[in-house]
Amino acid sequence: MSPQSLARWGSRTRHDLRLLRNEPLLGVGVAAIFALLLLFIAYPLVRVFLVSFFPDGVPTFRLYREFLGSWFIQQAFLNSVVMGILTALGGCLVGFLFAFTLTRTDIPCKSFLTVAAILPVISPPFVSALSIILLFGNNGLITHQILGFQEFAIYGMRGLLLAQVFTFFPVAYLTLRGVLESLGGTLEDAAMNLGATRWRAFTRVTLPLCLPGIASALLVLFIESIADFGNPLILGGSGFPVLSVQVYLQVTGMFDLAGGAALAVILLVPSVLAFLAQRYWVARKQYVTVTGKPTRAVLKVVSPAMQWVLFGTCMAVALFVLLFYATILVGAFSRAWGVDHSITLRNFRYVFGVGAQAITDTLIIAVTSSPLAGLLGMAIAFLVMRRRFPGRRTLEFVSILNFAVPGTVIGIGYILAFNQKPLLLTGTATILIANFLFRYIPVGIQSGMAGLRQIDPAIEEAATNLGASTQTTFRRITLPLLVPAFFSGLVFSFVRAMTAISAAIFLVSADWNLMTVQILSQTEAGRLGAAAAFSVLLILIVLVAIGLIRLVLGQLFDYRYQATFG
Amino acid sequence: MKTRWMVCALVALGVLLAGTAQAQESLVVYSSVDEENAKNLLDAFTKATGVKVRFTFLSSGPAVARIEAEKNNPQADVWFGAPSENHVALKEKGLSQVYVSPNAKELAAKFKDPEGYWTSFYMNPLGFASNLTTLKQKNVEPPTSWADLLKPEFRAQVQTPSPQTSGTGYNMVAALVTIMGEDKAFDYLKKVHPSIQTYTQSGTAPSKAAAIGQAGVAIQFTPAFLQLMAEGYPLKVTFPKEGVGFEAPAISILKGAPRAELAKKLIDWFITIPGQNALTDAKTYFFPVHPKATLMAGLPAFDQIPTINYDAIWAGKEKKRLVDRWINEVLRTAK
């Protein structure tokens, strides 16, 4: 840093601190959020990093040297990055397709398509991969029985990419739908009134205005895909190693905690780079579309012919989604999934017998963690975008950090950090709640920030000028305007609290168990029907919860945005 | 508006506090035996001894990682299940403690640690399970030897767990090394590579792939095969005549276990004849280790299975080297 820029930075910080002094509550809020993020995100990670640098008690780079020199790890690293990029691009493409079609065209079956676009976000671990194998494997319904392939190699890059795009496109859809909705159609109409063709209006108006949303979605998908290990664990196999799986294996297969931690640090590098690139790319552009002025669009940016092309493509994807869930449903009600499909209820009897406790535990934890995650996410997005205080960027960075780390590492970090007094949390519900809360706020933060980039600060400034404090402005102005983003943050964290397993497996206890762990246990033991029945139950709970969240948000913020919930 | 947020926050706080409340004093078990079997077996233990048990299912990898991370303040008293090799690893990490049960003298030497760190309480042989429908399409009989797997009909039809990730996969490699000698075993593993559809990460994934016809042959320990056959899947279990390894899942008492006295009762009971018969009563498909216990109807007699003299302690010590060799020689030939 040059002396001038240092001086500039110094005076800016002093200025920011002065602003904070005028609003003491804001300062307290910022400090509290910082403290929480440091305790529940930074501190466990620091514990893990320390383990990787002190495997034998003395500081060393031995583990890093070993791994970076291994062809197997190099291959895994490359595979991870390639898979992350392809998943991000593919997922955003499908997500945008759905978001655009549903907000800009007037086609039938909209509510069916909406459900189909959100549904895959609820993919119960292990059972999803089985369902994909039953559809696309050697003996698969689509590959073998419909298309007639003798052998279809589902294990490896191809099968994995299919599964990853399928699992992650709803995240892109949720973000982009929020963006396209707040964008409205007026600007596109204006462009066309001024003589632009439809294509020109789309490429020069719609697409550029969606860029912050697309960039956010790309980032989230890339990071999630390279940190995820559920699908690669089963579909990658040993032939297509990826780093996230290697982290898991190093810890759980070789019993090498330090090695796993070192691999996790290596895995963090591409995620952090992606984060910085996205910052650099988006931060320099200005996109305000919600100005408080009336907007009414007439939906004509899509030509009637194109409308049917979009409809057809979405329908094809939606049918695939339907087939995927139908497969699980069939499994839950059959005697022997994939072989003997005579209907039986014994799987559900079994589930309610063995797993009743896990079901209530999961519900309690998800219901507690997701509203907290949603609110905290919006609060952080608001603070980062709209308020000036020292450490603003750091706050955003730390809050997204947990998302980029494989769950295995977070799980172990949590045990290392919270197994001793005064921070004795192991074996409690609190540790599970904290894990889900802090791991899944980034989606809320990212969609909140994408939404805020489009809302004219003038609206909030008007409130402040009329005497509203920061928290009043946030509650009465910003939050209602952000309801679509809030909705996606809530849904996402709820869904993940119900379905995530990689970190949770280290945190469940005799008193607090989760349905996903039950699914794992049942698949391990060979009771596939019971695992499918657990999954069906889990999907039902999430669907009911999404409905309830929609209802509650509609009641709390009775705004015109009510109409825009998918 | 304001009160509504307050109520929400209070409810959340209440749940958080409720979560931290202490539960009653009972033996805490990390079980690598699956949920249902663990529940039945531990219920039988409670009924017989009056000792209350609370358990959490954790497969062997997460269990060790967790025990290690919790070592400064152990949450559990025992690790229940998972093959004895893993208990060797636990012992070498200094995470378990010695207990020689007075009942252990009935057990063969291979079923207990010479120093008393772990005690096996059941066993399972490794075997092949063939999907009869799939193999009929390929026109090939279920394999009855390791050599059979080299047949071209089995090309990309076999699933086996990866030794890198799964104790089962490593058990297979270590057993082959015992049977053939190290270099010959690696030659075989390289030759059989084209027959392997995928090396699964989990030790029980192959059986499911074979059950639904994704693979023709699965290699793993037998209980899941027998469970899947009972569910109605068209599988047939065979054993390679050259010999197979077996697993002998064990119990270790964790170092610093807060309720070690109760943990000792657990070991004592499971290796008595009533404890061993609980394996049969609970329909676990596990083989007892006590020579006088009852064998479950439908299980092949253990002495009919060509199990080899598998040295779990040697296998535990050689693990890192053999797995690295497998990655560099066998997996790399795939490239």
Side-chain angles (χ1 to χ4, degrees):
Chain A
M1 233 187 249
S2 69
Q4 291 97 326
S5 69
L6 200 65
R8 224 174 19 244
W9 178 79
S11 80
R12 207 168 52 218
T13 310
R14 270 197 302 281
H15 174 73
D16 290 351
L17 279 174
R18 236 186 347 264
L19 283 181
L20 272 188
R21 210 172 307 140
N22 295 339
E23 270 203 88
L25 249 171
L26 174 66
V28 171
V30 169
I33 287 178
F34 250 118
L36 282 175
L37 294 183
L38 286 180
L39 182 62
F40 285 105
I41 296 179
Y43 174 57
L45 285 180
V46 167
R47 292 296 297 256
V48 172
F49 292 170
L50 284 180
V51 167
S52 81
F53 286 107
F54 295 88
D56 328 297
V58 280
T60 170
F61 283 100
R62 175 174 65 83
L63 291 170
Y64 290 90
R65 263 202 311 278
E66 252 171 52
F67 285 133
L68 294 174
S70 142
W71 69 273
F72 193 71
I73 297 300
Q74 288 167 4
Q75 186 64 42
F77 183 80
L78 196 69
N79 288 346
S80 280
V81 173
V82 169
M83 188 51 77
I85 293 172
L86 292 178
T87 306
L89 291 174
C92 271
L93 194 71
V94 181
F96 185 81
L97 180 82
F98 269 88
F100 185 76
T101 308
L102 287 169
T103 54
R104 290 297 186 274
T105 63
D106 192 19
I107 48 163
C109 308
K110 264 195 178 178
S111 42
F112 166 65
L113 286 177
T114 310
V115 173
I118 304 188
L119 214 49
V121 91
I122 323 164
S123 49
F126 314 105
V127 169
S128 299
L130 262 182
S131 174
I132 285 194
I133 292 175
L134 278 169
L135 288 175
F136 291 98
N138 270 349
N139 200 17
L141 179 68
I142 293 177
T143 39
H144 182 67
Q145 282 160 39
I146 296 180
L147 298 176
F149 286 120
Q150 266 315 310
E151 230 106 279
F152 183 83
I154 184 85
Y155 296 102
M157 176 114 179
R158 185 166 47 175
L160 182 55
L161 183 61
L162 187 85
Q164 293 291 68
V165 168
F166 178 78
T167 319
F168 290 123
F169 90 84
V171 181
Y173 162 78
L174 282 171
T175 310
L176 293 173
R177 170 152 196 163
V179 171
L180 278 165
E181 252 162 15
S182 6
L183 209 63
T186 33
L187 291 170
E188 289 149 16
D189 287 352
M192 284 168 66
N193 287 342
L194 291 168
T197 59
R198 289 193 161 100
W199 178 245
R200 207 172 153 79
F202 175 74
T203 52
R204 303 300 277 276
V205 178
T206 320
L207 212 51
L209 283 170
C210 286
L211 273 185
I214 293 177
S216 283
L218 280 175
L219 177 72
V220 169
L221 258 60
F222 177 79
I223 291 179
E224 262 228 288
S225 155
I226 67 172
D228 171 70
F229 84 101
N231 285 330
L233 186 68
I234 293 178
L235 293 173
S238 292
F240 188 80
V242 298
L243 214 48
S244 53
V245 172
Q246 291 311 310
V247 173
Y248 176 75
L249 299 183
Q250 199 71 30
V251 173
T252 62
M254 302 301 290
F255 306 132
D256 179 7
L257 196 62
L263 284 177
V265 176
I266 298 173
L267 183 61
L268 262 181
V269 173
S271 299
V272 171
L273 287 180
F275 175 78
L276 295 176
Q278 186 245 17
R279 272 284 74 78
Y280 178 74
W281 184 36
V282 178
R284 296 179 310 161
K285 301 200 167 102
Q286 178 87 46
Y287 305 90
V288 170
T289 50
V290 178
T291 53
K293 292 161 196 139
T295 52
R296 184 165 294 268
V298 284
L299 297 181
K300 58 181 185 185
V301 72
V302 180
S303 72
M306 194 60 203
Q307 191 158 316
W308 292 109
V309 172
L310 292 175
F311 175 70
T313 326
C314 286
M315 265 314 207
V317 178
L319 280 181
F320 172 41
V321 172
L322 207 64
L323 216 52
F324 175 85
Y325 286 95
T327 309
I328 297 179
L329 201 64
V330 166
F333 286 101
S334 331
R335 283 204 164 266
W337 194 6
V339 174
D340 176 2
H341 289 153
S342 47
I343 291 176
T344 171
L345 281 179
R346 73 167 179 182
N347 296 325
F348 283 94
R349 271 198 302 273
Y350 178 86
V351 161
F352 284 113
V354 173
Q357 182 61 39
I359 297 171
T360 18
D361 286 355
T362 310
L363 269 177
I364 291 174
I365 284 161
V367 167
T368 319
S369 67
S370 56
L372 294 175
L375 277 177
L376 190 62
M378 289 309 111
I380 292 176
F382 171 75
L383 289 174
V384 169
M385 293 297 292
R386 289 295 198 259
R387 287 294 177 266
R388 306 208 42 168
F389 54 89
R392 210 162 46 119
R393 289 278 164 240
T394 322
L395 185 72
E396 189 201 351
F397 180 75
V398 173
S399 66
I400 204 165
L401 202 56
N402 237 5
F403 201 57
V405 188
T408 314
V409 177
I410 296 184
I412 288 175
Y414 266 52
I415 308 182
L416 289 174
F418 303 121
N419 192 37
Q420 266 151 315
K421 284 180 176 160
L423 290 169
L424 183 56
L425 297 178
T426 42
T428 65
T430 316
I431 195 165
L432 281 161
I433 292 169
N435 163 54
F436 289 128
L437 166 57
F438 291 97
R439 186 146 159 72
Y440 296 114
I441 40 171
V443 172
I445 298 178
Q446 286 296 309
S447 49
M449 286 174 52
L452 277 170
R453 284 204 181 86
Q454 294 182 330
I455 299 172
D456 194 337
I459 304 179
E460 293 157 339
E461 280 157 17
T464 313
N465 289 344
L466 292 170
S469 66
T470 292
Q471 54 278 29
T472 313
T473 312
F474 176 69
R475 213 183 58 231
R476 303 291 296 275
I477 308 289
T478 320
L479 205 50
L481 278 169
L482 277 180
V483 163
F486 187 44
F487 175 68
S488 51
L490 271 182
V491 167
F492 187 84
S493 55
F494 186 84
V495 166
R496 282 302 140 93
M498 295 290 298
T499 60
I501 185 163
S502 54
I505 190 142
F506 294 98
L507 307 174
V508 292
S509 52
D511 298 319
W512 292 95
N513 212 330
L514 296 177
M515 288 171 81
T516 45
V517 178
Q518 288 280 342
I519 294 177
L520 170 67
S521 173
Q522 301 308 337
T523 20
E524 293 265 296
R527 274 179 287 268
L528 304 185
F534 260 119
S535 309
V536 166
L537 227 59
L538 193 145
I539 292 163
L540 279 181
I541 292 175
V542 173
L543 287 180
V544 169
I546 293 181
L548 281 178
I549 294 174
R550 229 159 77 175
L551 205 71
V552 170
L553 283 189
Q555 291 288 316
L556 278 180
F557 307 102
D558 40 357
Y559 259 76
R560 65 194 164 99
Y561 278 90
Q562 208 179 337
T564 66
F565 293 142
Chain B
M1 198 71 188
K2 202 164 234 164
T3 48
R4 219 174 311 175
W5 291 117
M6 289 289 286
V7 170
C8 288
L10 280 177
V11 170
L13 198 70
V15 174
L16 284 175
L17 288 177
T20 51
Q22 281 295 315
Q24 53 175 355
E25 179 89 348
S26 46
L27 183 68
V28 177
V29 173
Y30 284 161
S31 167
S32 296
V33 177
D34 74 280
E35 194 94 21
E36 192 193 16
N37 284 332
K39 185 171 186 316
N40 291 337
L41 292 176
L42 293 169
D43 280 352
F45 166 69
T46 304
K47 211 169 150 198
T49 61
V51 176
K52 288 207 180 79
V53 177
R54 295 183 300 136
F55 76 96
T56 307
F57 165 76
L58 289 169
S59 50
S60 52
V64 175
R66 188 157 168 174
I67 293 165
E68 186 173 8
E70 288 174 351
K71 68 182 170 197
N72 293 332
N73 184 13
Q75 298 294 306
D77 303 298
V78 281
W79 186 24
F80 180 75
S84 43
E85 291 96 312
N86 297 337
H87 289 263
V88 173
L90 198 72
K91 169 188 169 185
E92 284 184 353
K93 283 172 171 287
L95 297 171
S96 51
Q97 54 172 288
V98 173
Y99 174 62
V100 181
S101 165
N103 303 341
K105 56 183 182 293
E106 298 284 340
L107 303 184
K110 59 188 171 190
F111 296 132
K112 55 195 175 192
D113 182 57
E115 294 166 72
Y117 279 90
W118 49 264
T119 312
S120 291
F121 68 114
Y122 67 92
M123 63 181 166
N124 296 303
L126 193 85
F128 300 154
S130 305
N131 184 310
L132 294 174
T133 323
T134 311
L135 290 198
K136 198 178 247 171
Q137 284 165 11
K138 303 265 166 206
N139 230 338
V140 60
E141 290 294 308
T144 54
S145 67
W146 290 107
D148 277 352
L149 296 180
L150 301 173
K151 286 182 184 168
E153 288 91 337
F154 289 117
R155 196 181 165 80
Q157 278 301 324
V158 182
Q159 284 203 8
T160 176
S162 160
Q164 190 196 1
T165 61
S166 141
T168 312
Y170 177 65
N171 184 293
M172 183 184 93
V173 171
L176 285 172
V177 169
T178 311
I179 296 167
M180 305 176 180
E182 187 170 329
D183 289 336
K184 285 236 175 71
F186 274 90
D187 272 350
Y188 171 77
L189 287 166
K190 271 182 262 183
K191 269 195 238 142
V192 84
H193 184 79
S195 297
I196 308 295
Q197 187 180 70
T198 186
Y199 298 96
T200 64
Q201 315 283 16
S202 147
T204 52
S207 59
K208 280 151 258 164
I212 60 174
Q214 165 66 27
V217 179
I219 307 177
Q220 70 175 56
F221 294 119
T222 51
F225 293 156
L226 301 166
Q227 176 75 43
L228 284 163
M229 285 163 71
E231 304 251 321
Y233 289 95
L235 295 179
K236 183 180 167 147
V237 177
T238 52
F239 297 97
K241 56 175 184 265
E242 299 94 328
V244 280
F246 58 90
E247 63 167 355
I251 308 178
S252 288
I253 302 181
L254 305 184
K255 193 176 202 171
R259 293 154 293 257
E261 286 313 307
L262 298 182
K264 288 175 184 167
K265 287 190 184 163
L266 186 80
I267 296 183
D268 290 345
W269 188 74
F270 269 106
I271 53 177
T272 59
I273 290 179
Q276 290 281 291
N277 286 347
L279 298 168
T280 298
D281 299 339
K283 291 207 178 70
T284 55
Y285 302 101
F286 301 157
F287 287 85
V289 287
H290 194 294
K292 295 195 188 99
T294 323
L295 195 65
M296 187 179 163
L299 280 192
F302 202 78
D303 50 19
Q304 301 298 304
I305 300 169
T307 47
I308 56 158
N309 230 344
Y310 178 81
D311 183 350
I313 295 166
W314 162 82
K317 284 196 177 116
E318 290 286 336
K319 181 167 183 183
K320 186 168 167 37
R321 191 180 64 78
L322 289 177
V323 169
D324 280 345
R325 182 165 181 191
W326 181 82
I327 292 174
N328 283 314
E329 290 185 19
V330 180
L331 206 53
R332 203 163 197 179
T333 54
K335 295 285 139 196

